[in-house]
Amino acid sequence: MDAMGRSTKSSSEGSKTVSGSPGADTALGSDFLQLDIGQAPPGGRTAWLADRLRSAIADGRLPVGTRLPASRVLAGELRVTRGVVTEAYRRLAESGQIAGRGRLGTVVVAAPAAPVAPAAPRESARDAAGPEHALFASAVRDGVVDALRALPCRIDLSPGLPDLAAFPRTAWLRAERAVLAGVTPADFGYGDPRGAPALRRAVVGWLARNRGIRADPDEVVVVAGVAQALSLLGKLLRADGIHRVAVEDPGSLGARQQLEYGGHTVVPVPVDAGGLDVGALRAGGARAVLTTPAHQFPTGVVLDGERRRELLSWAAAGGVVIEDDYDAEHRYDRPPVPALRSLLPDGVCYAGSVSKLLAPALRVGWLLVPPDRLDAVVTAKRYADLGNGVLTQLVLARLMDSGELERHLRHVRQRHRRRRDAMLRAVEARLPGARVHGAAAGLHLMVTFDDLGTGLRDTDLAAAALARGVKVHPLSWHRLTPGPPGLVLGYAAGAAHEVDEGIALVGEALGSLTGGG
Amino acid sequence: MDAMGRSTKSSSEGSKTVSGSPGADTALGSDFLQLDIGQAPPGGRTAWLADRLRSAIADGRLPVGTRLPASRVLAGELRVTRGVVTEAYRRLAESGQIAGRGRLGTVVVAAPAAPVAPAAPRESARDAAGPEHALFASAVRDGVVDALRALPCRIDLSPGLPDLAAFPRTAWLRAERAVLAGVTPADFGYGDPRGAPALRRAVVGWLARNRGIRADPDEVVVVAGVAQALSLLGKLLRADGIHRVAVEDPGSLGARQQLEYGGHTVVPVPVDAGGLDVGALRAGGARAVLTTPAHQFPTGVVLDGERRRELLSWAAAGGVVIEDDYDAEHRYDRPPVPALRSLLPDGVCYAGSVSKLLAPALRVGWLLVPPDRLDAVVTAKRYADLGNGVLTQLVLARLMDSGELERHLRHVRQRHRRRRDAMLRAVEARLPGARVHGAAAGLHLMVTFDDLGTGLRDTDLAAAALARGVKVHPLSWHRLTPGPPGLVLGYAAGAAHEVDEGIALVGEALGSLTGGG
């Protein structure tokens, strides 16, 4: 460094303060409004302070309801007598802009003329501006699922949500209390980008008990959900020169959009009754595939034994399999299916999360990759965000270790099953011509209207349902190549009577389009 | 879809179950070990179950300490009588592998011969394998800071950490209880990728009060710390064809590594007593710059008035300024400095976080970009991870809104100041020839050994300090072009007596290298 004169000056100032006023623990000036008393004219500090407060109220930096610092605190920070601050506050109180509110302290109560608009919550203003079905009218764009989510509705039959009302709030708070009592100061610092060791150990136990997967905690990378897992894996694939990724068709719109955002070309591979068509995968020539073998999204098909063998032999020959095990734990009428990863740890990248077990808003998942890709994925996670937040990880680890999460899963599975049954009955009664797919497991089912052929656009049906207050996903959102119209219908989030009412309204919408209503 | 026979079959099975056994709420088979009773030979269910449990214990899927499901629950899931399960458990208990543990239930107590190694925490095994100073011996590599962090030590004087022992655990738990009591089921679902509206409003208030920044909540994107902000901005820059980014020299090693990982070439711009040399920035030709104007890392210099004007005019002419406001709230002997963003909202990308206010392990920060880049940054955040975890966001919003965070900051500032003073005294007493920079603010200071010139490598000094149990950063880690040796010394994380002892040990290390010890 060529000229550090100023830093040296700062440091000598620092030393001077140390020796000159050893008890002074306040900074020069206040962070509050960046007030610097050095700017006040001599003898005019009260007027200056009152003026600064008045402008901050006028320009919206201190909106109505803001609490001002205690006069003692502000006086200390500005190194003025407390009288300067109380007098400035008194002047603003007299002009009606602030008022004492007892234990709440001094609060801004009114802004002068021409106030700025209050920063009210206007979450979905941009998205909700157009007519509801504008969403469904055009080609699928980035953020369309977020935009649908932000719209108001009476009944939400969007797929992908478990019963969120069942979130174990009491158990969570209990675990959080234990975590906060036991955590060390060092745990609050920067941590291992792979995640908290306690959660990685708990995930290993969970995967061994519930998904047949054996892993070492050092192989587990905690991620912010399967979405982040895909984003990290996308980086690794590009670094390997893999720019085309095969996806299931139909398959998840969100996953496809994410791969495309990451610079990949997606190669559609058809799904039939046996699951992903591995022959078509080979023919397509992509070197990586994203698949949902335990419960294909959205069809609900299970990858059958022969296809599993074919896919594993494709992987053993160098293909990269990305297994999205998104809702394998929700089964009703069929035996469990072990994860592909349990059969070929060296050839399968495996991603799972608590989104369908507990709640998507926790944004916690896990990623296992073949050993030769571990360093690269840890580096990708480091530079993505330095690792997940620690408190949520430690709470989850406790819930997993104590068996609380398994108990929760058994509890919601019963509720989900009743809602699934309600939806099956409602579909049979209210949606003539609908063919049901994939109802044996999961949190949603798929219906197709095979006989209506090209006479019905499912986006029109989804728009007509939304006009009646019901959110559903048109199947075509999740298709890459055209096929019969259909809907993807989530049944887990709401009560059985809401599921029934929602399907009745979808039936009305269908009737309005086909002339049957 | 051409052949959905199997799905249809699943769905009809589902319907059959509904009508055939309306009360049955259990799935076929158990997630636990993926047990499928269909595989058991007729009449041999107990032996089959005992065998499956035995193999799972032998191969490590059920390590010692694992709790087995209650016999009633497992029997229900497998659709066998409870006697089948209790008898299988009894056989394993007789062979000494499991045991009843009262309220804890039935627990695995011993594995048979040749057990797998227990998955003990071995966090830093890979990094700690070599000699301590191997870290400092070679060129700086990815993850070097993580590797140093993972090593054991007696006293940690690494920069970048606030007083973590002061983390407000009680206030956090109180806020979490209130959040869990008030949150709606919908809040647990997928949310706005920009973050929880409550936190975005709270951040707006915080920035207005403390950093002079006016913003609308719709402009705030909640991110996983400044690291993620840089990762998202890197994507935007590349999309704009910007592949060279100017950085301060000296400047943060972590930020530089992150930009390079994101595919950018970093262009060093010297820092002098006035801060970033804007003339050199212009001459370097980069179209974007990452800067720390309020408290330059690591020198501690404040960008002076003339340089601020120059930098803003460079930005107004189309340059992209990324302002990392990483520890602006920690000041001791100087007035506050408003953020650059407060002067030119349309030309400055602004990133801040709670890492230095509360704790890095929370992984929460905020990003403000010029209006014309907002959509792009929201899209980048969506495809990075769909948004931050909600509970931590809502707790933080409460702490900000209630004034708790400002109180915490005042509290730790006093402690930090005492530790800073202790370090200044210790450096003067124990590190002869050390010149101190940037002590008026922040959580660290920088020392240089200008007179030792090329006679001392600061990496050797850091290695010698680590051999004595003290972690410090060699200044050369944070330099792009060579300069005098030095250290970056954090003083905020430990008590004053530890700071003093740590600097004494660094002094010993210095003596051992310069012949003075």
Side-chain angles (χ1 to χ4, degrees):
Chain A
M1 227 154 312
D2 31 26
M4 277 295 166
R6 165 130 178 192
S7 318
T8 310
K9 183 162 151 263
S10 298
S11 112
S12 66
E13 276 177 13
S15 302
K16 198 178 66 190
T17 311
V18 174
S19 51
S21 56
D25 269 332
T26 50
L28 288 172
S30 169
D31 285 318
F32 177 74
L33 303 178
Q34 293 78 60
L35 298 172
D36 177 2
I37 200 68
Q39 299 174 351
R45 291 172 159 192
T46 299
W48 170 83
L49 178 59
D51 181 64
R52 293 298 303 263
L53 292 169
R54 219 169 261 127
S55 347
I57 294 171
D59 69 15
R61 274 176 297 155
L62 295 180
V64 170
T66 307
R67 206 185 313 187
L68 300 185
S71 55
R72 180 184 47 76
V73 170
L74 188 55
E77 289 183 358
L78 296 176
R79 303 199 176 165
V80 299
T81 63
R82 191 165 169 192
V84 169
V85 179
T86 52
E87 173 59 20
Y89 280 12
R90 201 185 55 74
R91 291 186 192 173
L92 269 81
E94 280 178 356
S95 59
Q97 292 174 280
I98 68 176
R101 284 282 181 266
R103 286 193 53 204
L104 276 179
T106 304
V107 170
V108 177
V109 291
V116 280
R122 46 195 186 83
E123 263 321 78
S124 53
R126 212 167 23 161
D127 294 328
E132 281 159 352
H133 41 280
L135 260 185
F136 297 108
S138 50
V140 172
R141 60 171 174 83
D142 273 338
V144 70
V145 176
D146 286 340
L148 176 61
R149 197 177 291 130
L151 289 177
C153 73
R154 279 176 56 204
I155 296 173
D156 191 349
L157 301 181
S158 302
L161 291 179
D163 179 2
L164 298 172
F167 186 86
R169 299 175 191 222
T170 309
W172 187 277
L173 187 64
R174 198 165 47 226
E176 178 106 26
R177 183 182 299 114
V179 163
L180 284 167
V183 77
T184 68
D187 290 328
F188 286 117
Y190 292 98
D192 190 315
R194 289 172 297 179
L199 180 58
R200 289 187 276 129
R201 289 194 295 272
V203 166
V204 163
W206 176 271
L207 293 177
R209 290 194 302 279
N210 294 293
R211 303 300 300 128
I213 293 174
R214 295 188 59 195
D216 184 279
D218 281 350
E219 296 175 86
V220 175
V221 180
V222 176
V223 292
V226 172
Q228 185 175 54
L230 274 185
S231 161
L232 302 180
L233 290 173
K235 282 200 180 69
L236 266 62
L237 294 178
R238 285 197 308 277
D240 282 356
I242 299 181
H243 298 280
R244 297 171 72 238
V245 177
V247 296
E248 296 165 334
D249 184 18
S252 160
L253 167 66
R256 187 214 322 166
Q257 287 184 322
Q258 195 171 10
L259 287 168
E260 288 174 339
Y261 180 76
H264 287 98
T265 302
V266 297
V267 180
V269 176
V271 172
D272 62 23
L276 181 82
D277 181 341
V278 181
L281 169 64
R282 284 184 198 279
R287 290 164 55 200
V289 64
L290 171 63
T291 179
T292 51
H295 184 237
Q296 203 273 331
F297 184 91
T299 66
V301 171
V302 178
L303 191 67
D304 74 20
E306 190 178 328
R307 293 280 175 81
R308 289 168 80 88
R309 283 187 291 277
E310 284 179 43
L311 184 57
L312 290 172
S313 89
W314 180 83
V320 180
V321 172
I322 303 172
E323 177 174 25
D324 176 1
D325 205 27
Y326 72 107
D327 71 354
E329 296 86 353
H330 299 280
R331 301 172 298 106
Y332 313 105
D333 314 310
R334 60 160 224 229
V337 186
L340 286 180
R341 167 85 190 188
S342 67
L343 305 171
L344 191 68
D346 288 358
V348 175
C349 302
Y350 174 90
S353 80
V354 299
S355 294
K356 275 71 180 176
L357 287 172
L358 265 177
L362 297 174
R363 308 306 311 130
V364 177
W366 36 86
L367 173 60
L368 277 69
V369 296
D372 59 350
R373 293 180 188 270
L374 182 57
D375 281 344
V377 89
V378 172
T379 301
K381 174 66 176 168
R382 174 185 298 118
Y383 293 123
D385 56 19
L386 306 184
N388 268 46
V390 77
L391 290 176
T392 303
Q393 289 187 72
L394 295 180
V395 171
L396 276 172
R398 286 191 78 92
L399 296 180
M400 284 180 161
D401 287 341
S402 66
E404 196 78 54
L405 189 57
E406 264 127 332
R407 268 195 295 283
H408 173 73
L409 183 59
R410 280 198 297 271
H411 172 64
V412 295
R413 187 147 61 184
Q414 293 188 6
R415 294 166 73 135
H416 291 166
R417 184 198 179 89
R418 283 194 292 272
R419 293 166 182 189
R420 192 275 313 248
D421 294 346
M423 185 172 269
L424 284 173
R425 282 190 298 263
V427 166
E428 193 174 344
R430 318 275 198 175
L431 297 184
R435 188 164 158 218
V436 175
H437 310 261
L443 305 171
H444 72 271
L445 50 80
M446 180 175 99
V447 298
T448 52
F449 300 96
D450 303 6
D451 299 338
L452 292 174
T454 54
L456 174 77
R457 288 200 310 186
D458 53 21
T459 45
D460 292 341
L461 178 53
L466 187 57
R468 287 163 177 79
V470 182
K471 282 185 199 168
V472 298
H473 279 197
L475 175 56
S476 57
W477 273 11
H478 301 285
R479 281 192 192 279
L480 281 107
T481 49
L487 297 175
V488 189
L489 300 165
Y491 50 73
H497 71 89
E498 287 175 333
V499 167
D500 184 58
E501 188 186 345
I503 296 296
L505 290 165
V506 174
E508 270 186 39
L510 180 65
S512 75
L513 294 174
T514 57
Chain B
M1 228 154 312
D2 31 26
M4 277 293 166
R6 167 131 177 193
S7 317
T8 312
K9 183 161 151 263
S10 298
S11 113
S12 65
E13 275 177 13
S15 302
K16 198 177 64 187
T17 311
V18 174
S19 50
S21 55
D25 270 331
T26 51
L28 288 173
S30 169
D31 286 319
F32 178 75
L33 303 177
Q34 293 79 59
L35 298 172
D36 177 2
I37 200 67
Q39 299 173 354
R45 290 173 160 192
T46 300
W48 171 84
L49 178 59
D51 182 62
R52 294 299 303 263
L53 292 169
R54 220 170 261 128
S55 345
I57 294 170
D59 69 14
R61 274 174 296 156
L62 296 179
V64 170
T66 307
R67 206 183 314 184
L68 300 184
S71 55
R72 179 184 45 77
V73 169
L74 187 56
E77 288 183 0
L78 295 176
R79 302 197 178 166
V80 299
T81 63
R82 192 165 167 193
V84 168
V85 179
T86 52
E87 174 60 17
Y89 280 11
R90 202 185 54 77
R91 292 185 192 176
L92 269 80
E94 283 178 356
S95 58
Q97 292 174 279
I98 66 176
R101 283 281 182 267
R103 285 194 53 204
L104 277 178
T106 305
V107 170
V108 178
V109 291
V116 279
R122 46 193 186 87
E123 264 321 79
S124 53
R126 213 168 20 164
D127 295 327
E132 281 160 352
H133 42 280
L135 259 183
F136 297 108
S138 51
V140 172
R141 61 170 174 83
D142 273 340
V144 70
V145 177
D146 287 340
L148 176 61
R149 198 176 291 132
L151 289 177
C153 72
R154 280 176 56 205
I155 297 173
D156 191 349
L157 301 181
S158 303
L161 291 178
D163 179 1
L164 299 172
F167 186 87
R169 299 175 190 221
T170 309
W172 186 277
L173 187 63
R174 197 165 47 226
E176 178 106 26
R177 183 181 301 115
V179 163
L180 283 166
V183 77
T184 68
D187 290 328
F188 286 117
Y190 292 97
D192 190 317
R194 289 172 298 178
L199 181 58
R200 289 188 274 126
R201 288 194 295 273
V203 166
V204 163
W206 176 270
L207 293 176
R209 291 194 302 279
N210 293 294
R211 304 299 299 128
I213 293 174
R214 295 188 57 194
D216 184 277
D218 281 349
E219 296 174 86
V220 174
V221 180
V222 175
V223 292
V226 171
Q228 186 175 55
L230 274 184
S231 161
L232 302 180
L233 290 173
K235 283 200 179 69
L236 267 62
L237 294 178
R238 284 197 308 277
D240 282 358
I242 298 180
H243 298 280
R244 297 170 73 238
V245 177
V247 296
E248 296 166 334
D249 183 18
S252 160
L253 166 66
R256 187 214 322 164
Q257 287 184 322
Q258 195 171 10
L259 287 167
E260 288 174 341
Y261 181 76
H264 287 97
T265 302
V266 297
V267 180
V269 176
V271 173
D272 62 23
L276 181 82
D277 181 342
V278 183
L281 170 64
R282 285 185 198 281
R287 289 163 58 200
V289 64
L290 170 64
T291 180
T292 51
H295 184 237
Q296 202 273 330
F297 184 91
T299 67
V301 170
V302 178
L303 191 68
D304 74 21
E306 189 178 330
R307 293 279 176 80
R308 290 168 78 88
R309 283 186 292 277
E310 284 179 43
L311 185 57
L312 290 171
S313 91
W314 180 83
V320 180
V321 171
I322 303 173
E323 177 174 26
D324 175 2
D325 205 28
Y326 72 106
D327 71 354
E329 296 86 354
H330 298 281
R331 301 171 299 104
Y332 313 105
D333 315 309
R334 60 157 223 229
V337 186
L340 286 180
R341 167 84 190 188
S342 68
L343 304 171
L344 191 68
D346 288 357
V348 175
C349 303
Y350 175 90
S353 80
V354 298
S355 294
K356 274 73 179 174
L357 287 172
L358 264 176
L362 297 173
R363 308 308 309 133
V364 178
W366 37 86
L367 174 59
L368 277 71
V369 295
D372 58 351
R373 292 180 188 271
L374 182 57
D375 281 344
V377 90
V378 173
T379 300
K381 174 67 177 167
R382 174 185 299 120
Y383 293 124
D385 57 18
L386 307 183
N388 267 47
V390 77
L391 290 177
T392 302
Q393 289 187 72
L394 295 179
V395 171
L396 276 172
R398 285 191 78 91
L399 296 180
M400 284 180 159
D401 287 342
S402 65
E404 196 78 56
L405 190 57
E406 265 127 333
R407 267 194 294 283
H408 173 74
L409 183 59
R410 280 198 296 272
H411 171 65
V412 294
R413 187 145 63 183
Q414 293 187 6
R415 295 166 72 135
H416 290 165
R417 184 197 179 89
R418 284 194 290 272
R419 294 167 182 189
R420 191 273 314 249
D421 293 347
M423 185 172 270
L424 284 173
R425 283 189 299 263
V427 166
E428 194 175 343
R430 318 272 200 177
L431 297 184
R435 190 166 156 215
V436 175
H437 309 260
L443 304 171
H444 72 271
L445 48 81
M446 179 176 97
V447 298
T448 53
F449 300 96
D450 302 7
D451 299 337
L452 292 173
T454 52
L456 175 77
R457 287 201 310 189
D458 54 20
T459 45
D460 291 341
L461 178 53
L466 186 58
R468 288 163 176 80
V470 183
K471 282 185 199 169
V472 299
H473 279 197
L475 174 56
S476 57
W477 274 10
H478 302 285
R479 283 190 191 281
L480 282 106
T481 50
L487 297 175
V488 188
L489 300 165
Y491 50 72
H497 71 88
E498 288 175 331
V499 167
D500 185 57
E501 189 187 345
I503 295 296
L505 290 165
V506 174
E508 270 185 38
L510 181 65
S512 76
L513 294 175
T514 57

